[in-house]
């Protein structure tokens, strides 16, 4: 069974979707702990509800020392709003993946839904990719396409992309759990 550590900073809807897939036995995995940089993150309450240890870490050395207490296969970033340093990525030495609300390599970084609207693209979406020291640039593991409508706002587009994110993240994790190789 795939042992996951989830990192996040705020709302945690992707985290909840992953936990739901696990609880419905669609995803053969377990979340061994959740790490956040935000003591107010809703992800802490979600963790408590599901009996998962939650750790608030202010610094990368703290993250490394928390991780040393767990056996895990993979770190899944789900709305983690800090950039991981190359030093941390190397120190972890295990795959780290992330979900981003655009069709990478378009619209990296912050506010990708706004970037998509400003650019006028007709299709955007979401991407699960391997985390590397270059932000939003690692190998793409899965994508979902979302149409952009003429009357879309950042909020309406973000909502539709998020629905696809929830399905995409679990489906990529299912492929990994079924033994698809994941190179770092
Ligand atoms: C998602 O749109 C994710 O793609 C981005 O941050 C948002 C997190 O939402 N990286 P949530 O915390 O999973 O609800």
């Amino acid at each position: 069974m795939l042992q996951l550590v989830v990192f996040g900073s705020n709302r945690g809807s992707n985290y909840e979707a992953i936990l739901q897939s696990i609880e419905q036995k669609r995803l053969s995995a377990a979340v061994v702990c959740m790490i956040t940089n935000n003591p107010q993150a809703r992800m802490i309450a979600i963790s408590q509800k599901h009996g998962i240890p939650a750790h608030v870490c202010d610094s990368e050395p703290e993250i490394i020392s928390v991780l040393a207490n767990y056996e895990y296969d993979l770190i899944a970033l789900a709305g983690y709003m800090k950039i991981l340093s190359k030093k941390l990525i190397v120190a972890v030495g295990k795959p780290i993946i992330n979900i981003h609300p655009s069709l990478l390599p378009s619209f990296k970084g912050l506010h990708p839904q706004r970037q998509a609207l400003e650019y006028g693209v007709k299709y955007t979406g979401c991407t699960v990719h391997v985390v590397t020291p270059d932000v939003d640039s690692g190998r793409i593991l899965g994508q979902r396409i979302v149409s952009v409508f003429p009357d879309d706002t950042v909020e309406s587009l973000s909502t539709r992309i998020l629905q696809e994110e929830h399905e995409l993240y679990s489906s990529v994790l299912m492929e990994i759990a079924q033994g698809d190789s994941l190179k770092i």
Side-chain angles (χ1 to χ4, degrees), residues 11-177:
R11 179 178 54 191
S13 69
N14 278 289
Y15 181 35
E16 277 183 312
I18 291 167
L19 291 171
Q20 193 178 49
S21 298
I22 293 171
E23 283 164 10
Q24 292 175 346
K25 304 209 182 302
R26 289 184 290 123
L27 171 60
S28 174
V31 178
V32 299
C33 75
M34 190 281 296
I35 292 179
T36 183
N37 60 316
N38 175 12
Q40 310 300 330
R42 182 171 165 263
M43 293 180 77
I44 296 172
I46 298 170
S47 301
Q48 285 162 351
K49 185 175 156 205
H50 293 266
I52 295 165
H55 301 274
V56 180
C57 294
D58 285 333
S59 67
E60 291 196 346
E62 266 185 80
I63 292 174
I64 299 279
S65 69
V66 166
L67 289 175
N69 298 317
Y70 292 96
E71 297 278 331
Y72 62 97
D73 304 304
L74 175 76
I75 295 175
L77 307 186
Y80 188 63
M81 298 308 287
K82 283 185 92 170
I83 293 171
L84 299 180
S85 72
K86 181 174 183 185
K87 197 173 162 193
L88 180 105
I89 294 169
V90 171
V92 163
K94 295 193 182 174
I96 306 175
I97 65 173
N98 181 44
I99 187 154
H100 184 78
S102 76
L103 290 177
L104 290 173
S106 292
F107 312 134
K108 297 177 181 178
L110 291 175
H111 310 302
Q113 302 94 336
R114 189 187 307 159
Q115 293 183 55
L117 287 176
E118 285 173 359
Y119 219 92
V121 293
K122 304 305 172 206
Y123 300 95
T124 182
C126 49
T127 302
V128 173
H129 64 94
V130 176
V131 172
T132 61
D134 290 331
V135 175
D136 300 330
S137 297
R139 192 161 62 89
I140 290 171
L141 303 174
Q143 290 186 309
R144 291 281 175 104
I145 296 167
V146 173
S147 297
V148 181
F149 301 139
D151 58 350
D152 258 329
T153 61
V154 171
E155 289 70 32
S156 64
L157 180 59
S158 301
T159 301
R160 288 205 313 287
I161 294 173
L162 197 61
Q163 286 167 357
E164 294 298 325
E165 290 184 44
H166 295 163
E167 290 185 19
L168 174 66
Y169 218 160
S170 287
S171 82
V172 169
L173 287 167
M174 283 173 210
E175 286 170 15
I176 294 169

